[in-house]
Amino acid sequence: MGEGRAARNARDEQQGIVIINAQQDLQKLVQRMYECLHNKVYDEGDKSMLKTLRPIIDLRSLALKVKQKGAAHVLASDGEQFTKVSKQLATNIVDVPDSEIRIQFREFIRRLERHVAQLNKEDLCSIKLIKVFLETERKLYVEMVMHVICVAAASMSVESVIESMVSIYENRNNKFRPISEERAVLEMNIAINGPELPHADSIIQERHQNVLDDKSGYDHILLSEDSWTYFGIQWVGWYLVYNTLPFGWKISPFVYHTTGLLATNFFHSIAISCSLYIDDHHNGQLQVDLHSSAYFQLPTLDERNLAAANSAIFIVAYYLVQLGYFLGLAKSTLIPVKVVPFLGFLSDSALQVFHLIPAKKEKFLLLLRKIVGQSAVSVKTIQRLVGKCVSFSLAVPGAVLFTRAMNTAISKGLRTHRRVKIDQKLRDELNHWFFLETWDDPLPWRDELHIRISLATDASGSGWGVSVFLQETVTTSDYWSDDERAHDIATREALALDKTLLSFSDSLQNVWVDVQVDNMSVATRYSKQKYSLQKGLEKFLDALPVWGIEQYIAIAEQLKINLKSGYLFRPTNQQGAIVNAAFMSSAAEARLRTYLKEMGSDDGETLHGFRSGYAITLALSGVELSEVMDHVGWTQRHRALYYLQLAKVLNPAGASSRLAQVDLSAVTQKWGDTNELRQFVSAFPSLPSQKCPHESEICI
DNA sequence: GAAAAGAGCAATAGTCACTC
DNA sequence: GAGTGACTATTGCTCTTTTC
């Protein structure tokens, strides 16, 4: 024992050294990445230019300077510098005369001075200031200056992305993980998007939307030359390397998405609601007051919405092209509409729902009809169907709830490696999905708000308490009734959760609910939705599709034994009375011993011995291993093989040859006789049932 | 008290669907 | 090729119960 522990310690120590070495290597790699990215993305000229521009393009600092020192001072100190470096930064104004840029800068600074004169120092905010200059009704748009500021802001944000990427890399690979991965992602989002996204989620009812799709986006993100060697392929004797972001690299979508977020962040900052998924831009309207701005001249609200959406797509498309994006017009929706295809659904802002795309629905129904027309189905086919059903969850209410029979079929098929027979339960579930032929009542958009529920039950069994984190924390608690207290701890926790959900049902409609429980059993039941706990154990018992169990429960009721609280299977005490306690294997073992003694055949057999012995007998009779496992109740193949010990049993000098020589009928006769219960009379009238074809075989 | 047996749990890996 | 999420199966570990 001591040696084993020493060996384990030595092994752990060795593994620890390997981990520490790997950590050190990773640290070096991170350092190299950091230096390489910084040196390659910017040359010295770029870095110097950004450093020079930073005081000018940081709107808050500039506004503060104007407020404190006046427009004339700023124009004298920064005007010439701005004119000089702006052409280096924003290439589309290269051909504009310096005089024109100076005029625009002067106009910009003077208007900035008038605006900041009304504000306190604390109210100066870059995002709010940039919006002021883009509000059309005030006609303060100063094209070149704002363009330079926006491009420079995007360039500076690139630095944040690089730092964030290095930071997240370090966090992911830190042995001690001082912050969680989710937290790191959040930090990164804040680093890229900023702490405030005032208009990011404001797709308002009846508003117009449009979709822009990037064309060959990866090809426009260049790899630094000394990275090429890591992205090589060999083809008919040639060695080729990628010099742009390669398709197929694990983090390519991540890199592309995060760089795209720079533009998205900019659009948020100028009040355009939009979202991004890799290369799909989903845009809303320009978020301006439609009742007081230039849009107010249009007669109807719908026309104003359309005009605001047109403004948004013009600005988005303009800046995306300026930033070097190529737009795939065939896959884009350039004219704003209220229903656009996005991420595999039709996004409907009028009804605020996602519709299934008709072609996709037809494809699903085609597969469904094909399956229903058969008597058995392959695992692969049923998995395809389940996958489609699950993917409909965003639009179809309770989609996952109607995949249980299919998942059971998959499980069975994977175990037996055969096609799964379509039984009545599976067929009913498959037929249920035909409702899609005429259905058009999709789920409303769910608020991304998560409401947290913290649940606690008293170990002594007296009561329960819960905290629900709404706008303010609401706490409630209650005592268990006598009936409720009789349940086991898992059922009591489930009941407490059920009561909480019902009590706060008004506040928990159509939102995500995160429940904190300390009982794995409850969590598993809810997460896998094996059964609804709304009616607790009663519903569970009602749902059991086993005729024998139904009979058992019915008979227990006639014996005045309430199985709806306490243990389902119960032992007897020494006086023969049924007690509400767990039916342990020791009790089963004792019961077996009683029967064996009664038979006069007590040779020291044990339950385990019967189980293994019967399995070995089945295996030697030619029954397949999967069927043996099913019958005996082993779920793991390796465990079955271990207990069967077939190699030993099949020894020519061992049990198999002896078994082959024995007249089994003589041996089993005694057991068969014992199995037929004699001298029993029926205590209750037999219960007729159509479910069981062999009613006479059921004994009590 | 040691060994066997099993339950429970977490991590991992695989399938499928969908998206890009 | 990557990601997401639904599911199941496998594996390795700890802990408890039972057997000898």
Side-chain angles (χ1 to χ4, degrees), chain A residues 179 245 303 554:
Chain A
I179 59 173
L245 197 59
E303 286 175 276

Side-chain angles (χ1 to χ4, degrees), chain A residues 1 21 64 79 95 123-124 177 183 241 252 293 309 319 323 360 380 417 433 527 537 601 612 645 685:
Chain A
M1 185 67 188
N21 288 340
L64 192 61
D95 297 331
D123 296 327
L124 297 178
R177 292 265 187 111
R183 179 70 191 169
V241 292
S252 286
S293 61
Y319 277 107
L323 289 168
K360 204 162 142 183
K380 195 174 173 182
H417 305 286
W433 282 95
S527 62
L537 191 60
S601 294
S612 301
Q645 296 285 324

Side-chain angles (χ1 to χ4, degrees), chain A residues 21 98 101 163 185 187 254 263 328 350 408 440 477 526 540 566 583 672:
Chain A
N21 288 340
D98 286 357
I101 296 175
E163 285 166 6
V185 171
E187 293 287 349
F254 172 76
T408 306
D440 188 24
S477 59
Y526 262 90
F540 165 63
F583 187 73

Side-chain angles (χ1 to χ4, degrees), chain A residues 474-491:
Chain A
V474 183
T475 305
T476 186
S477 59
D478 200 359
Y479 295 101
W480 295 117
S481 67
D482 289 341
D483 283 348
E484 289 167 340
R485 195 176 297 114
H487 290 309
D488 60 85
I489 182 68
T491 307

Side-chain angles (χ1 to χ4, degrees), chain A residues 486-676:
Chain A
H487 290 309
D488 60 85
I489 182 68
T491 307
R492 286 206 303 270
E493 286 229 4
L495 279 171
L497 177 55
D498 198 39
K499 285 168 183 280
T500 307
L501 295 176
L502 288 172
S503 304
F504 293 91
S505 58
D506 288 346
S507 307
L508 303 180
Q509 291 281 334
N510 212 28
V511 295
W512 297 95
V513 179
D514 302 332
V515 182
Q516 296 175 331
V517 293
D518 55 5
N519 190 310
M520 199 58 209
S521 171
V522 175
T524 305
R525 290 293 184 190
Y526 262 90
S527 62
K528 296 192 173 180
Q529 305 193 359
K530 298 275 184 185
Y531 64 90
S532 166
L533 284 162
Q534 284 188 335
K535 291 188 178 177
L537 191 60
E538 185 178 357
K539 193 163 184 176
F540 165 63
L541 293 176
D542 289 347
L544 276 176
V546 182
W547 189 85
I549 296 291
E550 289 174 356
Q551 293 294 296
Y552 174 75
I553 293 168
I555 290 163
E557 280 176 359
Q558 295 189 50
L559 287 170
K560 308 291 182 198
I561 299 169
N562 180 15
L563 291 180
K564 290 173 182 172
S565 64
Y567 293 90
L568 184 59
F569 299 106
R570 304 173 183 190
T572 54
N573 60 16
Q574 288 185 335
Q575 288 71 42
I578 297 168
V579 292
N580 187 5
F583 187 73
M584 310 291 282
S585 63
S586 56
E589 196 86 40
R591 190 77 59 86
L592 173 69
R593 191 115 10 249
T594 304
Y595 294 151
L596 289 173
K597 280 179 182 166
E598 204 170 284
M599 286 170 61
S601 294
D602 185 6
D603 297 320
E605 293 90 345
T606 64
L607 285 175
H608 178 69
F610 269 103
R611 197 185 195 190
S612 301
Y614 186 49
I616 291 169
T617 308
L618 285 173
L620 289 173
S621 308
V623 177
E624 284 190 14
L625 184 62
S626 58
E627 291 183 48
V628 174
M629 289 164 65
D630 254 1
H631 194 85
V632 177
W634 281 318
T635 55
Q636 298 173 22
R637 195 179 170 83
H638 79 277
R639 198 177 290 284
L641 289 171
Y642 175 76
Y643 289 126
L644 283 172
Q645 296 285 324
L646 283 182
K648 290 181 190 170
V649 176
L650 289 172
N651 181 345
S656 62
S657 59
R658 292 188 197 175
L659 276 169
Q661 294 163 13
V662 171
D663 178 9
L664 287 176
S665 63
V667 178
T668 57
Q669 182 66 45
K670 184 168 62 175
W671 294 82
D673 290 346
T674 307
N675 201 32
E676 288 179 12

Side-chain angles (χ1 to χ4, degrees), chain A residues 4-20:
Chain A
R5 190 170 294 163
R8 196 180 301 171
N9 288 341
R11 189 188 62 196
D12 289 348
E13 191 178 344
Q14 195 174 3
Q15 286 178 344
I17 293 168
V18 171
I19 291 170
I20 289 168

